Amino acid sequence: MTVAAPAPPAPPWHALASEQALQQLHSSVQGLSGGQAADRLRQHGPNRLASVAPPPLWRRIAAQFHNLLIYVLLAAAATTAFMGHWVDAAVILAVVGLNVGIGVLQEGRAEKALDAIRHLLAPQARVWRDGRLHDVDATALVPGDVVALASGDSLPADVRWLQTHHLRVDESALTGESVPVDKSPAASPADAPLGDRCGMGHAGTLVTQGQGLAVVVATGAHTEMGRIGKLLASVEQTTTPLVRHMAVLGRSLTLAVLGAALGLFAFGVLVRGMPMGEVFMTAVGLSVAAIPEGLPAIMSITLAIGVQRMAARHAVVRRLPAVETLGAVTVICSDKTGTLTRNEMTVQQVVLADQTLTVDGAGYAPVGALWHQGHAHQPAELFREAPALLALAEAAALCNDAALHPHDGHWRLSGDPTEGALLTLAMKAGIAPPELQAERPRLGVVPFESEHRYMATAHANGTPGTWTVWVKGAPERLLAMCHQQLQTDGQPAPLDRAHWLQAIEQQAQAGRRVLALARSTVAAGPGLDHTHVAQGLTLIGLVGIIDPPRDEAIRAVARCQAAGIRIKMITGDHAVTASAIAGQLGMGPGLRTLTGPEIEALDDATLQQAVQTVDVFARASPEHKLRLVRALQAQGEVVAMTGDGVNDAPALKQADVGVAMGQKGTEAAKQAGAIVLADDNFASIAQAVEEGRTVYDNLRKTVTFLLPINGGESLSLLVAVLLGLALPIAPVQILWVNMVSSIALAMVLAFEPTERDVMHRAPRPPHEPMLSAFVVWRVLLVSGLFTAGIFGAYQWALQQGHGVEHARTLAVNTLVAMEVCYLFSVRYLKNPSFHWQGVRGTPRVLAAVGAVAVLQSLFTYVPFMQALFHTQALPGVHLALACGIGAAVLVLLELEKAVLRQMRH
């Protein structure tokens, strides 16, 4: 009878000794029997993440129609079709189809993110069954299975290490750690964060070095990866500010149009006693006049133009409304490694016995000087003055398994990032590692092991019968092994332990990872072992290594702060390192830091208060990142979240706009994000924010342009009915203006360049509607001016003895002239337009004005257009009058801007 695996024990697996874990799982180092594995597979299920069937296509399409703006468009299409304008109805329906199509394409992104996580689980595993090693499908793994793993393997499940040999695992996808983590069978404290659990391995992470034997403790949905999948599935997609604001605008327009049309119908029938059929057609004309049919299409085009501009700045937009959302961002939560930093380890300081040198440059490129006491020195000078530096550089080049290669103007690393930093230091010091390694070949090696915490290599030194042994490792370990130190002048001296401990503490406080380098001379032998290493070891010095911030990220942080956007760093790295990088980025003095365990201890209300004052969050797990984003959103913030790992995916999806890394990001992060950075650079986010603000400015200009035109048309119809007069513009002529000249002119506003002060403003309030108080005032003012212009031209023509068709033709041309002049004004909503750039416009503005002039000429003078739209040819003086009225509107609006600017000051 086989024994089923029990439920996981009360203590976490990482807190148990490896033998205890085997006992809890009723397993052994030889693994399970085939029968036990089969029973447990029935109990626990396959080792894979559950998939959820997406909703059927018809339901996704139907959901896109559940939008008030779509209802308004459908009503406009029905109205124009009722009036017999089938072509116009078809155009409006095409706009509806475009909007629905875009929405359907954007659906299902979250399911793709979950699929990306599922594909991270390894397809095969090497497992001990019935006392033999088998290759099995990873979906058949069960708790209690013992698996063998080696360099290059992806972990197929969550495991507890039983045996390790030089084992290192890249856990960056889960923890954000920039370097592989040493693994050993040792137990960890029960409250240890995910990144500090040396005895655990997790599904989806990668073995980069060594071998290990481990027992499976969790499979499928019970793994860390499965837990993240559950978090991702639990996050509901949020709507963007633009979508919310346009929904409010659609509701407002619908209620206004319906109210005005019903009021007009009731007034015409009950008060004026007009025939119901005539009043009904007038109400239909009012509806056509009031609805800005082209607004949704122009909105999509404006967003699409923003997408193109962002792509030129290395930001690839996957969801169209995210373009504008970036412009509304008030907080950017950024991962550290690879986004704010280079993800390339760099030696920043070298500590010798009686000197400390600062090293210029960042990354693996061997560019940068070595500074001492405020002076940059050439390598030859330093070696004359500090022979110990030459010894340290030789140690960095020889006790090293990595390699650096130039490629397309960059340096590529093969091997461990820390060893890459040491090679770069050696090259900055004037040593060519390949030449030195060829000159002094390696004769023996003691590989790095977590229990010894150092690596040693033996090399020929020109003296027969002896080797030089170079050692690098943890500073505390090497201090315990050394009895001498190398003075800067190259002479040995007794070890000053207090000096080195103080130097180690200073480097750690600066957030740097510290390595010690030492050497000894030993008798040549058949090989190198730990006994040789311990003989006569002399400490050469220390190196302080860090993943430095990008120069452009420092500038981008300052730019975002000038724009009123707060930056918060959320990382899986250690608190000291995160704080040091935040300080170098200029995120502010006296930064407060919260760690994962501290976040865990806070309830939601307390966390919401903490996120307002804390800017650095370290050792954060996926749940912590998700809670932090939600806490900020609960405070009314519009949050952008950056990330590259699977652990970032839930927070990327929850954020108002998720920004994934395109080069080093996992597929799960890319699918969860709305924007992907092609260059993994925080500076691209600042540029994208600028484009997002430009998109919103242009959308607001479009709304502020179109609504007064529709308002002027509607008011002129209302005034005509109220006063018992003939309509100054026929419904078919209104449709011509709305669908031709208005759209042609409004379209160019989507291409307007970025205004100079766009990144010197505070973010707009998240709840500020598209129809702000200023926009409403401008709509009312311009609608009144347009109504006066339309009625004035129409009545003037009638008083001059012209017929209704002639008067309406003049009224339409006056309306278009006012539109053209208003376009030059609305390009600068609050700033003056009377300057050379404003008068000249852009090439697109001039092209649009020229196109409208040609279209209006056809509308006015071509016979078949006259028959279709009931127009008549106008003499030149009448066209001049129309242009004069348009110019008068422009002058009045510029005066209004001047008054408002004066009131603000």
Side-chain angles (χ1 to χ4, degrees), residues 1-45:
M1 179 179 175
T2 57
V3 180
W13 291 108
H14 60 269
L16 297 177
S18 54
E19 297 82 3
Q20 289 178 297
L22 284 171
Q23 292 172 5
Q24 290 281 348
L25 292 162
H26 295 273
S27 184
S28 69
V29 176
Q30 287 74 38
L32 303 173
S33 68
Q36 287 177 312
D39 286 346
R40 296 187 185 191
L41 185 62
R42 284 191 291 271
Q43 177 185 353
H44 294 280

Side-chain angles (χ1 to χ4, degrees), residues 829-888:
L829 285 174
K830 297 180 181 179
N831 296 323
S833 301
F834 284 161
H835 50 78
W836 174 238
Q837 185 178 356
V839 173
R840 184 186 60 183
T842 64
R844 288 188 177 89
V845 168
L846 299 179
V849 171
V852 168
V854 170
L855 290 170
Q856 279 305 113
S857 298
L858 296 175
F859 174 84
T860 306
Y861 297 106
V862 174
F864 87 88
M865 296 287 281
Q866 291 174 341
L868 186 61
F869 291 101
H870 309 290
T871 60
Q872 289 184 355
L874 297 177
V877 67
H878 287 192
L879 292 179
L881 173 64
C883 293
I885 294 174

Side-chain angles (χ1 to χ4, degrees), residues 298-490:
I298 292 173
M299 183 179 80
S300 297
I301 291 167
T302 305
L303 293 175
I305 292 166
V307 168
Q308 292 177 346
R309 287 176 171 173
M310 285 189 183
R313 293 188 168 198
H314 308 292
V316 180
V317 178
R318 297 179 60 254
R319 295 176 190 148
L320 209 54
V323 177
E324 178 276 336
T325 308
L326 265 179
V329 161
T330 59
V331 175
I332 297 177
C333 296
S334 179
D335 186 26
K336 175 182 70 68
T337 305
T339 308
L340 293 169
T341 64
R342 299 176 61 92
N343 200 17
E344 295 178 347
M345 303 302 287
T346 303
V347 175
Q348 285 192 333
Q349 282 197 341
V350 174
V351 181
L352 302 177
D354 46 14
Q355 278 189 11
T356 298
L357 299 98
T358 300
V359 185
D360 268 351
Y364 300 130
V367 178
L370 288 85
W371 292 74
H372 175 55
Q373 294 182 345
H375 298 284
H377 293 275
Q378 297 299 319
E381 297 174 0
L382 284 168
F383 293 152
R384 283 196 306 268
E385 300 169 6
L389 178 65
L390 175 60
L392 186 139
E394 290 177 344
L398 294 173
C399 189
N400 202 310
D401 288 329
L404 286 171
H405 310 282
H407 179 78
D408 293 338
H410 301 280
W411 286 80
R412 280 198 175 168
L413 170 67
S414 299
D416 183 81
T418 300
E419 293 192 324
L422 292 175
L423 288 179
T424 302
L425 172 67
M427 288 189 282
K428 289 177 180 177
I431 289 177
E435 296 176 10
L436 184 65
Q437 290 164 1
E439 180 184 332
R440 303 183 193 179
R442 182 181 292 185
L443 303 174
V445 62
V446 174
F448 180 89
E449 294 180 351
S450 55
E451 54 266 39
H452 295 291
R453 300 172 67 201
Y454 64 77
M455 171 187 177
T457 58
H459 300 262
N461 57 16
T463 302
T466 63
W467 290 345
T468 297
V469 176
W470 302 97
V471 186
K472 74 167 187 286
E476 297 85 356
R477 175 64 172 148
L478 263 63
L479 275 178
M481 297 169 64
C482 293
H483 299 287
Q484 286 186 316
Q485 66 189 34
L486 197 65
Q487 295 297 102
T488 304
D489 60 6

